[in-house]
Amino acid sequence: SAVISQKPSRDICQRGTSLTIQCQVDSQVTMMFWYRQQPGQSLTLIATANQGSEATYESGFVIDKFPISRPNLTFSTLTVSNMSPEDSSIYLCSVYRDLNNEQFFGPGTRLTVL
Amino acid sequence: AQSVAQPEDQVNVAEGNPLTVKCTYSVSGNPYLFWYVQYPNRGLQFLLKYITGDNLVKGSYGFEAEFNKSQTSFHLKKPSALVSDSALYFCAVRDSSNDYKLSFGAGTTVTVRA
């Protein structure tokens, strides 16, 4: 398995501010992803974090709102910009391991926007 | 396109009874199927996967799942449920030909009563 840590684990933020979430993996991985889990909902893929190039966003998500960085093969950040209460969710980092065809998830960051 | 359906929002069973959580999927190519469990205020934990081979796959904590291609199903089962199995369960699928993106079902809340 992969050991994935996220910071912060939770935060309460004011409307209009931005929050950057960090994801650290214990070993190098090619594929990293960011998911959102809105209250009482399933997981929705936000984007694929590509090392050395711009992230690939899913339909309904844009770079201006969710800028992503991937400076190396073990680290990524997701920023939630100009937040509104609708952004209140759990944000999860995920990595894919080719060896076992398995995808692992971080513990998540629980964001509440007031 | 790929998608997953979990027809039951909730499943309630008595401890010691068999537990089944249903999942059906849709992919254009060959499916890779996964089950994850989420405990309150925790991240997603990988339970088991089907990639190829035997239709019956065994995973963590005594869970197993059966891949049925003709019915496009991948139901999760446990012969004897424990109170500690109470959690939120997600089925996920990806097409073997796509770029590692998972699609999740809506989730099924399992409650095991003592």
Side-chain angles (χ1 to χ4, degrees):
Chain A
S1 65
V3 177
I4 307 170
S5 60
Q6 286 185 233
K7 290 181 181 179
S9 59
R10 59 177 62 225
D11 207 341
I12 301 173
C13 300
Q14 296 297 319
R15 181 194 300 260
T17 63
S18 298
L19 176 71
T20 295
I21 302 167
Q22 298 179 6
C23 176
Q24 180 73 54
V25 190
D26 65 338
S27 59
Q28 293 185 344
V29 292
T30 305
M31 308 298 293
M32 291 182 76
F33 307 90
W34 287 98
Y35 286 81
R36 180 175 73 180
Q37 185 179 19
Q38 293 178 299
Q41 305 283 325
S42 184
L43 281 79
T44 302
L45 180 63
I46 297 172
T48 303
N50 301 309
Q51 194 268 329
S53 64
E54 197 170 278
T56 306
Y57 290 84
E58 298 302 302
S59 176
F61 298 95
V62 296
I63 188 172
D64 290 345
K65 176 67 176 177
F66 297 101
I68 289 171
S69 77
R70 177 91 191 269
N72 56 53
L73 293 176
T74 63
F75 186 79
S76 178
T77 66
L78 168 75
T79 298
V80 186
S81 302
N82 189 25
M83 289 183 285
S84 66
E86 292 71 35
D87 295 319
S88 297
S89 296
I90 299 173
Y91 292 86
L92 298 108
C93 172
S94 173
V95 303
Y96 180 82
R97 278 276 166 81
D98 272 322
L99 180 65
N100 297 320
N101 250 312
E102 293 176 8
Q103 193 161 333
F104 299 96
F105 288 81
T109 295
R110 184 179 294 271
L111 171 63
T112 302
V113 184
L114 303 178
Chain B
Q2 57 189 41
S3 64
V4 173
Q6 292 181 242
E8 301 160 317
D9 291 337
Q10 292 197 2
V11 170
N12 299 305
V13 298
E15 189 172 34
N17 281 3
L19 169 64
T20 298
V21 186
K22 295 180 181 178
C23 170
T24 58
Y25 66 90
S26 174
V27 296
S28 54
N30 293 319
Y32 288 178
L33 293 152
F34 306 84
W35 276 101
Y36 290 87
V37 60
Q38 186 176 41
Y39 297 98
N41 300 313
R42 304 275 294 275
L44 263 69
Q45 295 181 31
F46 170 82
L47 274 180
L48 51 77
K49 67 184 178 189
Y50 171 83
I51 303 298
T52 186
D54 290 340
N55 289 342
L56 183 65
V57 294
K58 295 186 182 296
S60 307
Y61 312 120
F63 284 94
E64 59 187 29
E66 185 165 13
F67 170 63
N68 187 317
K69 188 173 183 177
S70 63
Q71 296 185 6
T72 62
S73 67
F74 190 56
H75 301 329
L76 180 70
K77 300 180 180 181
K78 186 169 184 179
S80 178
L82 301 172
V83 172
S84 58
D85 294 327
S86 298
L88 180 58
Y89 290 80
F90 290 101
C91 181
V93 69
R94 76 170 182 90
D95 191 310
S96 60
S97 62
N98 86 3
D99 45 0
Y100 311 107
K101 300 175 186 177
L102 288 178
S103 294
F104 284 82
T108 299
T109 299
V110 170
T111 302
V112 182
R113 60 186 185 276

